[in-house]
Amino acid sequence: MTGEKAMREDKPTGGDAAIKPLRVLIVGGGVAGLAAAYDLARQEHAGRSVDVTVAEAGAELGGLASGFKGKPSWEWPLERFYHHLFTNDDAIIALTRELGMADRLTTHAPVTALYHKGGLYPLDSPLRVLRFPHLSLWNRLRMGLVLAYLRYDPRRPWRRYDRIVADEWLGRWMGSAAYSTVWQSMLQGKFGAHYGEVNLAWFWARIYKRTQRLAYYEGGFQAFVDALAQAAAQRGAALHTGVRVERIIPLPGGGFQATTNGPGGGDYDAVLSTVSPGLMQKLAPDLPESYLGQLRKLRSMGAVALIVALKRSLLDKVYWANIPKQEGLPFLALVEHTNMIDPAHYGGDRLIYIGDYLDPDHRYFGMDAEQLLAEVAPHLSRFNAGFEPDWITGAWLHKASYAQPVPPVGYATMIPDVRTPLPGLYFASMSQVYPWDRGTNYAVQLG
């Protein structure tokens, strides 16, 4: 699809031709926008059919879940940013079934490990936590008890946790040795200098939702995105790519005028914007100052993901390696995708993500793939002593300035309502799925 062409299958019209359909614009063709389009295109409102238009500024649909084919030999596209599902991600799994794609969702039990003092230590089960050799048995038991308390407390008291600083609470109850060795580094990696502000509800949600088994689509997440887009189009939604919405202007008689750099502009009865809080402020400056002020208070981290194709496996069965900041490596996560998914789908390439969450003004955002590869490649031998630079057969760099919301204490009261003060204008972003972490499951739920 291009900005010149929209994907649409017109549905037959019926009834009174004088009753105009309700025109709805969805800004953003990520998973949330597509899920909303799919739902809205089959609805009626006060006896009126709903005419849905999706405007996506990028060249493809899918947002952070979109894929690319780095080489002609790849059978499947690969996500620009690492993706998987937990087996309890009920919203997206239910939609997958509704789309007739249940047989395309496969489950796996990959190894997740912590890199510590030159070694990789799996910590993805209670037994493996108890075997971790760099903590005393008491510290391991204490950490396990705290995690079990958070995960299995039937009250699910996340609203109380919203008022507690995670760094202080975890350090006190886990003990400084266990917390600083395993969990503090995760918070530091995710949130950088902001880690000391993050509330316990965010951490609780991560522990509560995590499953050891993970799910992945045959054909990658792009297969799910394509099926969802096709289903929305079959219901009558018009899907435009390469179309940037530049302004959403309230009309005196109700509704909005949308200006774009291509198709999709015009008057609409309602607008659903799924962009970042920063971009929302620019698109709709006519929002009341009280709402704009809420948007301004929302902070987030950006993400950088360098994907590297190798001739050989780097991590030897480990899928995901968490890298604590104190190890002195210039990245947070090392994910060998092909230790979960057969490399045969990628022409035999072993594919690794080298990823980090960073403030959007970090110097990595000014680098290209070659420059960043030159910075990180010398460190790969720490994970495999046999690594040689000639193992590398390709590298691709992807960046997102809005990728990880920062949830401070009291975040529950900071989140702007999906219904903005301008009737008919809605705002839905990953900053609003709290206490859950951002992800495709919650994008479906929000959409």
Side-chain angles (χ1 to χ4, degrees), residues 46 49 102 142 148 154 157-158 186 197 199 204 237 297 314 344-346 353 401-402 422:
S49 62
R142 186 174 175 180
W158 72 266
M186 184 190 76
E197 307 165 38
N199 69 55
W204 167 83
K297 289 179 181 177
L314 184 76
H345 299 300
Y346 309 97
Y353 289 91
S401 59
Y402 175 57
L422 295 179

Side-chain angles (χ1 to χ4, degrees), residues 52-73:
V52 180
T53 298
V54 176
E56 165 57 44
E60 64 284 310
L61 299 169
L64 295 179
S66 64
F68 75 105
K69 282 192 174 182
K71 297 181 182 181
S73 58

Side-chain angles (χ1 to χ4, degrees), residues 193-335:
H194 312 293
Y195 84 94
E197 307 165 38
V198 174
N199 69 55
L200 187 61
W202 178 88
F203 185 87
W204 167 83
R206 296 280 294 180
I207 299 301
Y208 182 81
K209 279 291 293 182
R210 184 167 295 276
T211 59
Q212 189 172 358
R213 293 192 68 84
L214 304 177
Y216 190 81
Y217 291 97
E218 292 182 0
F221 274 71
Q222 190 66 53
F224 168 78
V225 168
D226 291 345
L228 180 56
Q230 184 65 38
Q234 286 173 347
R235 290 179 170 184
L239 311 178
H240 298 282
T241 57
V243 174
R244 185 179 64 255
V245 175
E246 297 170 338
R247 185 78 183 269
I248 302 166
I249 304 166
L251 296 172
F256 302 87
Q257 181 185 75
T259 60
T260 71
N261 67 335
D267 293 352
Y268 290 89
D269 299 291
V271 176
L272 167 61
S273 177
T274 66
V275 301
S276 70
L279 183 52
M280 184 63 178
Q281 296 171 56
K282 297 176 182 177
L283 293 182
D286 297 298
L287 281 164
E289 177 55 33
S290 58
Y291 196 86
L292 290 172
Q294 285 185 287
L295 296 178
R296 281 194 289 269
K297 289 179 181 177
L298 299 177
R299 292 177 296 166
S300 61
M301 303 292 287
V304 171
L306 178 68
I307 299 167
V308 181
L310 302 175
K311 297 176 184 177
R312 304 178 189 177
S313 174
L314 184 76
L315 296 181
D316 185 26
K317 300 180 183 177
V318 170
Y319 164 62
W320 190 297
N322 288 308
I323 318 297
K325 288 295 184 183
Q326 58 262 35
E327 295 293 334
L329 291 161
F331 44 87
L332 165 69
L334 197 56
V335 182

Side-chain angles (χ1 to χ4, degrees), residues 116-177:
H116 183 73
K117 295 184 177 179
L120 285 169
Y121 298 92
L123 293 177
D124 48 11
S125 72
L127 184 59
R128 283 172 166 170
V129 169
L130 288 174
R131 289 174 175 169
F132 184 59
H134 294 281
L135 290 172
S136 69
L137 178 59
W138 164 241
N139 280 320
R140 282 175 270 162
L141 288 170
R142 186 174 175 180
M143 178 171 66
L145 287 171
V146 171
L147 295 176
Y149 171 76
L150 291 172
R151 183 175 178 86
Y152 298 111
D153 185 344
R155 298 170 298 172
R156 297 177 61 183
W158 72 266
R159 292 190 182 276
R160 178 166 59 85
Y161 294 157
D162 175 77
R163 302 188 295 274
I164 298 172
V165 176
D167 184 59
E168 295 174 0
W169 191 93
L170 293 168
R172 181 170 70 251
W173 291 102
M174 280 188 184
S176 60

Side-chain angles (χ1 to χ4, degrees), residues 74 78 305-311 335 338 349-354 369 373 376-377 380 387 391-397:
W74 290 8
L78 179 70
L306 178 68
I307 299 167
V308 181
L310 302 175
K311 297 176 184 177
V335 182
T338 44
D349 282 337
R350 309 300 304 222
L351 298 173
I352 62 170
Y353 289 91
I354 301 171
L373 182 62
V376 302
L380 298 183
F387 171 78
W391 288 16
I392 299 172
T393 64
W396 303 266
L397 180 60

Side-chain angles (χ1 to χ4, degrees), residues 411-428:
Y411 189 69
T413 63
M414 295 171 58
I415 301 171
D417 198 315
V418 169
R419 297 171 180 81
T420 77
L422 295 179
L425 178 59
Y426 301 83
F427 173 61

